[in-house]
Amino acid sequence: ESNSYEKVAKALGKIKELEAKKAGAKAPEKNELNRQIEELNRQIQAEKKAAKDKITELEINFQNERLDWNLQSLLGSYKYAAQE
């Protein structure tokens, strides 16, 4: 999936499915199910972090572009020696 929110929703659904299987499983099967659940939780955390990092990156880029625009408009209003 390319959509992070769908990835997280699918992983959460899979976790619920594995939790249900784990309830009726024996010890060796429970260990494997626990491992799978932990892996899915790690994937969810990675997706959340990636989404948060992307938002932070976009906010920083927006702030930088806004600062550049403000500086250009401020400095562009002055007359310089090289201008006629």
Side-chain angles (χ1 to χ4, degrees):
E1 289 291 326
S2 61
N3 188 337
S4 295
Y5 299 107
E6 290 178 16
K7 286 181 184 178
V8 171
K10 284 185 178 184
L12 288 173
K14 184 69 175 174
I15 288 173
K16 286 181 184 179
E17 178 185 324
L18 292 173
E19 288 285 348
K21 284 182 181 179
K22 186 174 82 169
K26 296 181 182 173
E29 294 171 347
K30 281 186 179 182
N31 290 338
E32 177 61 23
L33 292 172
N34 280 332
R35 188 195 60 74
Q36 290 176 358
I37 290 169
E38 289 172 3
E39 177 61 29
L40 289 170
N41 282 326
R42 281 193 292 275
Q43 289 176 6
I44 289 170
Q45 292 302 318
E47 288 297 325
K48 286 181 178 180
K49 184 180 182 322
K52 186 176 180 179
D53 290 347
K54 183 66 174 175
I55 290 170
T56 302
E57 177 186 344
L58 291 172
E59 287 174 343
I60 290 171
N61 287 340
F62 175 75
Q63 290 172 353
N64 287 339
E65 287 176 9
R66 192 168 176 196
L67 178 63
D68 288 345
W69 183 82
N70 285 333
L71 288 173
Q72 286 178 355
S73 65
L74 176 68
L75 296 175
S77 64
Y78 292 107
K79 295 235 180 229
Y80 293 97
Q83 293 179 340
E84 291 185 25

